[in-house]
Amino acid sequence: MEQSRVKIPLYLFLVPLSIIFISRILPFFLYGPHPLGYDTGFYNQAINQARLASAPHFRLDNLGVEAIFRALTHLGLSNNIILYFIPILITALSGLAVFFVVKLYFSERAAYFSLIIYSLSFTQYLVYWEMLWKNIIGIFLALAVFYFIEKGGKRNLLPALLSAIVLLFIHKTSFFVLALALFFYLPVKKIRYKYLTLFLIFLLALA
């Protein structure tokens, strides 16, 4: 099927990205400085522990988050920036990832409308509202895996593997869904990444 050659002007990307940012900033104006869900307290405590440089717990599903928090606190970022702004930024990046993944399969026009739908997704808004920090990162990493696999070639195998491994260390549930999807996806697409599937299943067995 021949893809449409329609090019989306860059300024139109401001529409979905503005929806993402404004919809997630608005609660702070409506409900005060700490409007988000129950998990906010847990992550705030984890950030404080990272600032104290206490020994990590070495739980596989928390190790990645602990490493991220340590890196961000060492950069001098405040708790509020880490808790609230970083997830918004990653959500915006996930929207762009949706665009680039869909563009590989269909057309730029279809990819843009997918980005619009993503920006309006109430489910994605609830993920931020409930402060599901690991899920937010997990969506981006899973999309990155599909993007690099679909791009093909050996040079894209390493970033696909790295994205999957980081996902494992951040959110095991998202990794399980990704591994299951790839188990059925790769043979159907006849992509020569069977060893990638086997490697992901091996990691899943260790999780």
Side-chain angles (χ1 to χ4, degrees):
M1 183 176 63
E2 185 178 353
Q3 293 190 353
S4 171
R5 295 182 179 274
V6 174
K7 297 290 292 183
I8 304 299
L10 289 178
Y11 68 86
L12 286 181
F13 285 90
L14 293 176
V15 175
L17 294 179
S18 295
I19 293 173
I20 291 173
F21 279 97
I22 293 173
S23 64
R24 284 151 179 81
I25 293 173
L26 190 60
F28 295 92
F29 292 97
L30 296 177
Y31 306 113
H34 304 290
L36 302 183
Y38 184 73
D39 283 3
T40 305
F42 292 111
Y43 287 117
N44 190 58
Q45 182 181 7
I47 295 170
N48 289 333
Q49 290 176 347
R51 292 189 187 282
L52 296 174
S54 57
H57 300 109
F58 290 107
R59 283 182 52 189
L60 190 58
D61 56 341
N62 284 335
L63 194 57
V65 175
E66 290 178 2
I68 292 173
F69 285 165
R70 286 175 184 271
L72 293 176
T73 54
H74 286 160
L75 290 174
L77 300 181
S78 68
N79 285 30
N80 286 343
I81 292 293
I82 297 172
L83 277 175
Y84 302 131
F85 179 74
I86 296 298
I88 296 176
L89 181 61
I90 296 173
T91 301
L93 292 175
S94 295
L96 293 177
V98 168
F99 173 84
F100 286 111
V101 170
V102 174
K103 183 180 177 181
L104 287 176
Y105 290 101
F106 301 102
S107 65
E108 190 162 315
R109 178 185 292 177
Y112 180 74
F113 281 111
S114 298
L115 174 56
I116 290 287
I117 293 171
Y118 176 85
S119 70
L120 295 171
S121 169
F122 185 65
T123 301
Q124 291 303 317
Y125 183 77
L126 284 180
V127 168
Y128 178 73
W129 179 267
E130 297 294 337
M131 189 45 65
L132 303 181
W133 218 92
K134 293 189 287 187
N135 297 70
I136 293 171
I137 301 177
I139 292 168
F140 174 73
L141 291 172
L143 287 168
V145 172
F146 275 102
Y147 174 80
F148 288 120
I149 287 177
E150 190 64 25
K151 286 288 285 186
K154 292 184 178 180
R155 67 177 183 177
N156 289 309
L157 176 60
L158 181 59
L161 282 174
L162 289 177
S163 299
I165 292 171
V166 172
L167 178 58
L168 173 64
F169 281 90
I170 289 177
H171 196 217
K172 286 199 299 182
T173 304
S174 296
F175 176 82
F176 175 79
V177 174
L178 172 66
L180 186 63
L182 290 178
F183 180 79
F184 293 101
Y185 169 75
L186 296 183
V188 170
K189 296 294 292 184
K190 297 181 180 179
I191 299 175
R192 296 178 180 178
Y193 283 163
K194 292 183 179 179
Y195 46 90
L196 173 61
T197 308
L198 294 174
F199 184 71
L200 291 176
I201 294 172
F202 173 72
L203 288 178
L204 184 61
L206 295 178

